[in-house]
Amino acid sequence: AMGPSSGGTWGMLSAKQMAPGAQAIFGIVPSAAFNVVGGDIARFVTAPSPVTAVVDVYVINPDGGHGILAKGFKYVDPATLGPAPQIASMDPSEGPTKGGHKSVIIGTGMSAQAWAFFDTTPAVTTKVVDNGASTITPPHGLGAVDVAVTNAAGRTTLAKGAYTYVPPPQVDQVDPGAGPSAGGTFVTITGKHFKLAKDGGKGAKIVFCTSFE
C-alpha cells in the first residue's frame, strides 16, 4: 500500500485479533483514524509523515498486545502522484439499510485497484467501470453518509453526505384483505416508506405470494 506523505489516505488493513479501540502507527506516526469495522478488517486514515519512505505498520490493542507488518506502507512525495479521484454523483444516491444495493460512484480518476467506503465501512465490492466505480453497499444505519474513494496511488477523495440509507417499506393494511384466486381485485395498500418512480425509473414493486424464499 502507498499514499502521499501529506496524509489523508483511506485504506483497509487486515489483521487477526484486533480489538475495538485498537490503534495503528505508520512508522513513527499514529494514524489520523483507525476503526475496526468487523472481523479482521479495519479502516485507516493516514496522518502526514515527516519523511517519504517505506515504513512498518504497527497495530496496538488497548491491552498492549500488538502486531507488526514490516514495510507495510510507502509514503510518497505528493508531487510525484497523479490526481485524486473526482466524485460527481451517486447513482442511485440512496438505498436500504441492510446494504447489498448496487450504487455507481460517477466520477473520474478511479484506478482498477480503487476502494470505496460508505462512512467508515468499506463497500462489499468495488469495481471500476467506464463512468466511475460500481459498488455494493455495506449495511448501515439510517441517514446520509460520506462516501470516499481511494485509488491505487493512495489518493483519496471524500464526498460529504453523498449517499443516504433509507428505511424499507412498511405495510400496515391491505384493503380488502381477500379476493378471488382468478385475480382482478383492486386493493389499497396502506403503509410507509413507499417509493415513487422518478424519470422513468423503478418505484415500489408489489408482489402477492404465500411466502418469500
Side-chain angles (χ1 to χ4, degrees):
M2 64 185 293
S5 58
S6 54
T9 298
W10 288 43
M12 292 184 290
L13 185 151
S14 178
K16 296 184 181 298
Q17 300 177 344
M18 287 187 294
Q23 297 181 337
I25 298 176
F26 291 71
I28 60 172
V29 182
S31 60
F34 191 75
N35 310 86
V36 179
V37 296
D40 299 333
I41 301 296
R43 181 223 47 160
F44 66 80
V45 180
T46 61
S49 169
V51 298
T52 55
V54 178
V55 300
D56 298 337
V57 178
Y58 303 81
V59 176
I60 305 173
N61 279 337
D63 64 2
H66 65 277
I68 303 173
L69 178 61
K71 300 181 179 179
F73 192 84
K74 183 179 182 180
Y75 279 108
V76 182
D77 182 350
T80 66
L81 298 175
Q86 298 296 315
I87 300 174
S89 61
M90 304 286 295
D91 183 24
S93 60
E94 64 179 34
T97 56
K98 67 178 181 180
H101 192 62
K102 180 181 177 181
S103 181
V104 177
I105 303 172
I106 298 173
T108 59
M110 301 177 197
S111 62
Q113 293 79 35
W115 294 335
F117 298 83
F118 290 75
D119 195 9
T120 61
T121 305
V124 177
T125 63
T126 303
K127 181 181 179 182
V128 174
V129 294
D130 290 342
N131 60 342
S134 178
T135 68
I136 299 298
T137 61
H140 196 280
L142 290 172
V145 300
D146 300 340
V147 175
V149 177
T150 300
N151 64 18
R155 292 280 202 183
T156 300
T157 293
L158 181 70
K160 290 284 190 179
Y163 189 83
T164 301
Y165 283 91
V166 296
Q170 175 183 318
V171 176
D172 295 328
Q173 183 179 1
V174 178
D175 184 29
S181 59
T185 301
F186 285 85
V187 300
T188 299
I189 301 175
T190 305
K192 300 176 182 178
H193 313 308
F194 299 155
K195 182 177 175 61
L196 295 174
K198 296 181 180 179
D199 300 325
K202 295 181 179 179
K205 183 177 182 180
I206 301 173
V207 179
F208 291 84
C209 60
T210 57
S211 66
F212 285 102
E213 295 183 356

